[in-house]
Amino acid sequence: MAVTIRDVARVAGVHISTVSRAFSAPHLVHAETRAKVLSTAEQLGYRPNRAARALITGRTHNIGLIVADIANPFFPPLIKAAESQARMRDHHVFVAETDEDPLVEAELVRALSKQVDGIVLCSPRLNNTSIEQLAREVPLVLVNRRVPGLPSVTMDVAHGAGLAIDHLVADGHRDIALLTGPRGSWTSREQRRAATQAADRSGARLTVSGPNHPTEDGGIAAAEQIVGSGATAVLTYNDLMAIGLIEGLDRLGKRVPADVSVVGVDDTILGRVTRPRLTTVATPTAAAGRAAVDMLLQHGDDRRTTAQVSLQTELIVRDSTAPPPGTPPHGHATASPAVDSAL
């Protein structure tokens, strides 16, 4: 016979309502009492009926997590961290992707809103007005996007872009290109703003090219334009584009970093194993996933928040950057980027 909530209450010596709250509203139960209830439930093999609990509490204990492109290696660490954090808070995660399509994004938010208590929306492509409308229908926390009045977790990509330009200038580059990301990307706008400011400070010429598809194919397609621009160094929207650009430059007979230096953004596993190993701006994706889940659960607990958290980025110098041809090394940027010596 299946173990019931009454059995747990009897053995633990508490009221049935206390057992129910220990699972559905743990913050309302004394820590020692909740520990006793959970221990008893574990010993008896009791598992709460989520569907029944949802009918009573109005909460599903499910979270939606929507990403722009699940094939992009930027997202798996974020997804994994978010799922782990949700499990620790007795929640499950439904993951969906938009394939960089804002119309699909809106459809997914509305579809998931009927099955979850809130949604973490990662790198959205929708405009602010559409996101604000959706936030009135379901609690939202944004990752890598800021919308006034809505909670968000961002990675300081502007700081990282500035570090990257400073590093390239310190190596002697004066003609630098920036490959921007897709139209509607907050990250791309932040990178462009910071890269332009850093180039202006140093007197370097910055050529901006975009919007671009944020994939290897997008990087390959941009290679010919980079060669034509005369740039000796390139900062790309993400690692995937950087890896594609390196391949495209190779097809055109250009070596990295001997002829052109390339910097990516994200510090994905692909950038660490490609050759040359990729100099990149590391973004704390796992930390962002954990923070977004915590923020969403707070946001959905009738404790509405408009907090906007920014996480630090870091420049990792590897093998894809060097002084331009015929220029002696000029040292490193004053920001003291990290040097990755791992294989």
Side-chain angles (χ1 to χ4, degrees), residues 155-164 167 235 239 263-268 272 278-285 311-318 335-340:
M155 288 161 262
D156 195 351
V157 291
H159 175 70
L163 290 179
H167 169 67
L235 171 62
D239 283 359
V263 181
V265 175
D266 291 339
D267 191 27
T268 61
R272 299 171 214 160
L278 190 63
T279 293
T280 187
V281 175
T283 54
T285 51
L311 304 179
Q312 190 59 271
T313 54
E314 178 185 16
L315 179 66
I316 306 296
V317 178
R318 297 193 180 102
S336 300
V339 178
D340 182 3

Side-chain angles (χ1 to χ4, degrees), residues 69-340:
D69 179 7
I70 204 167
N72 186 330
F74 167 84
F75 288 109
L78 187 152
I79 294 170
K80 185 176 180 65
E83 288 186 321
S84 176
Q85 192 74 1
R87 281 197 302 273
M88 290 176 58
R89 304 285 298 274
D90 192 31
H91 282 68
H92 293 161
V93 176
F94 297 159
V95 179
E97 71 149 352
T98 68
D99 198 25
E100 303 281 353
D101 188 331
L103 295 179
V104 173
E105 197 167 87
E107 291 172 1
L108 283 172
V109 170
R110 290 194 167 97
L112 281 176
S113 67
K114 301 175 178 62
Q115 308 171 57
V116 300
D117 298 323
I119 293 173
V120 175
L121 190 56
C122 302
S123 302
R125 305 297 181 227
L126 287 164
N127 59 45
N128 283 10
T129 301
S130 297
I131 292 174
E132 290 165 351
Q133 175 61 45
L134 291 171
R136 288 192 283 270
E137 301 175 24
V138 62
L140 288 181
V141 169
L142 310 179
V143 173
N144 265 5
R145 176 70 172 271
R146 284 182 180 167
V147 174
L150 296 184
S152 66
V153 179
T154 57
M155 288 161 262
D156 195 351
V157 291
H159 175 70
L163 290 179
I165 297 298
D166 288 346
H167 169 67
L168 294 172
V169 169
D171 263 355
H173 296 278
R174 292 297 178 267
D175 283 304
I176 302 171
L178 172 67
L179 290 185
T180 61
R183 195 181 306 278
S185 167
W186 174 88
T187 295
S188 188
R189 289 196 300 270
E190 287 292 291
Q191 290 172 342
R192 178 171 183 165
R193 175 180 62 80
T196 299
Q197 291 174 350
D200 288 345
R201 285 196 307 268
S202 65
R205 182 174 72 97
L206 183 71
T207 301
V208 179
S209 175
N212 297 285
H213 200 57
T215 62
E216 289 179 75
D217 287 342
I220 292 172
E224 190 169 344
Q225 185 174 353
I226 292 300
V227 172
S229 74
T232 60
V234 187
L235 171 62
T236 66
Y237 171 75
N238 64 12
D239 283 359
L240 280 181
M241 285 183 64
I243 292 168
L245 177 62
I246 291 172
E247 181 179 346
L249 291 171
D250 181 68
R251 294 178 184 178
L252 297 173
K254 297 295 182 179
R255 298 165 298 162
V256 175
D259 298 315
V260 181
S261 288
V262 176
V263 181
V265 175
D266 291 339
D267 191 27
T268 61
I269 184 64
L270 290 180
R272 299 171 214 160
V273 300
T274 191
R275 292 296 181 269
R277 296 180 311 142
L278 190 63
T279 293
T280 187
V281 175
T283 54
T285 51
R290 290 189 293 268
V293 166
D294 286 341
M295 191 177 290
L296 183 63
L297 294 183
Q298 175 187 349
H299 189 56
D301 253 349
D302 295 326
R303 301 190 300 273
R304 296 283 174 167
T305 177
T306 57
Q308 295 187 329
V309 175
S310 179
L311 304 179
Q312 190 59 271
T313 54
E314 178 185 16
L315 179 66
I316 306 296
V317 178
R318 297 193 180 102
D319 306 326
S320 65
T321 53
T327 304
H330 286 245
H332 293 292
T334 57
S336 300
V339 178
D340 182 3

